[in-house]
Every structure is written in C-alpha cells, then in structure tokens.
Amino acid sequence: MKILGISHDVLICSACVMVDGAIVSAIAEERLDRVKLSRVFPRRAIQACLAAAGLAMSDIDEIAIGWNPAIESETTPSSQLNSRRWRTEHWLQVPGQLMQLAGGRADIETSIRDLYRGAPPTTFVNHYWAHMGMAYMLGPHDEAAILILDGRGEKDTVLL
C-alpha cells in the first residue's frame, strides 16, 4: 500500500510517502520554500516525496492527514451551526448537525472519498495518534509506551 502523509497547519508543514509500511521519503516544506517554520500547504514537499519515491498522485492508495476535522464538528456550538454564512460551511455544518442529531462523537479517523475523479481516500486521523505513529515508526523498538502532551488545545489535551 502506498500512503501519502501530509502534515499541514502546524509549525513545520511536511509530507512523506510510505510504501508497505516503510517510510520511503519525507521532507519539511521549509527545506524547499526556504521559509523557516513554513505554514503553507506543503505542495513542494508532496511533489518532492512523490518524485523521490518514483510515484505520481495516481499511484497513491490513500492520503493520511494528522488532524481530524470531525473533532471540530463535534464541539461546534449549535448557534454557529444554525446560521450559514457561506456555502463552504456545509463542510462543517452537515457533519456537525448529523453528529448532534445522532448524539455521536468524533471517531479516531474520518475519511473523504471521491474528492476528485480517481482520488484515493483521504483519511484524517486524530492529531495525537499521528504523533504516536510517528514516534513509533521512527523508533527502533517493537513495543513502546508513548505519552504525548503538546498543548495544542484540542479536546483530548483538555481532558488530560
């Protein structure tokens, strides 16, 4: 399986490509755009990782992003959900409204399918699971105990 990993809207935006569970290429956007702590969408990093792996976007089986927007939908105040200001708010309102109607909670991951013709699924994973996965994948051990405290202010941080 070929996975494109994207880290966006954090202090160091980056991308990586994994093939069958092994990291094949990874780079931070700041290394390519020469802007320290670059917070743009990591287009150059994605292109560089794909090129280093000898892959095209059409070869990717899944895209993984280390932030789950469903958490934001779960905690959006109903006053914001009841007044749409622009059409793109459907991305927030529809999941938020359905989650509240069902009495549901955000899951560990959320996927978008068919974003564009031929697109692989784009899976948004819990921010902390992304930290744990990175720490574990880059570590030399077969088993690990990992504690993540990054103070980003998400619901999980507050619960700690």
Side-chain angles (χ1 to χ4, degrees):
M1 177 172 248
K2 298 171 198 79
I3 300 172
L4 170 64
I6 300 171
S7 179
H8 173 250
D9 196 35
V10 293
L11 290 179
I12 301 177
C13 296
S14 58
C16 74
V17 170
M18 292 182 69
V19 177
D20 297 328
I23 298 171
V24 175
S25 59
I27 191 164
E29 185 73 11
E30 71 179 19
R31 301 291 180 214
L32 303 169
D33 69 7
R34 313 303 283 168
V35 176
K36 187 70 176 164
L37 302 177
S38 181
R39 295 188 70 179
V40 300
F41 186 80
R43 284 177 167 268
R44 290 180 182 97
I46 291 168
Q47 292 168 334
C49 287
L50 289 171
L55 299 172
M57 279 295 288
S58 58
D59 298 320
I60 297 298
D61 298 311
E62 184 152 10
I63 298 170
I65 299 173
W67 168 76
N68 186 352
I71 292 171
E72 309 298 334
S73 295
E74 178 183 307
T75 57
T76 301
S78 60
S79 61
Q80 289 181 10
L81 292 175
N82 291 332
S83 60
R84 187 177 74 226
R85 288 177 291 283
W86 60 86
R87 297 298 277 178
T88 54
E89 286 189 5
H90 280 283
W91 284 94
L92 175 63
Q93 286 201 17
V94 171
Q97 292 281 11
L98 293 174
M99 198 177 299
Q100 287 183 5
L101 281 169
R105 297 184 53 107
D107 205 347
I108 296 299
E109 62 183 47
T110 301
S111 294
I112 296 175
R113 305 219 184 279
D114 302 321
L115 185 60
Y116 57 89
R117 183 165 297 193
T122 300
T123 302
F124 297 85
V125 298
N126 178 289
H127 177 78
Y128 298 99
W129 285 70
H131 278 305
M132 289 186 282
M134 182 183 68
Y136 180 73
M137 291 297 292
L138 296 177
H141 307 290
D142 293 332
E143 295 181 15
I146 300 170
L147 174 65
I148 304 294
L149 295 170
D150 75 351
R152 185 170 173 169
E154 292 176 352
K155 178 182 67 173
D156 292 342
T157 304
V158 174
L159 293 176
L160 292 173

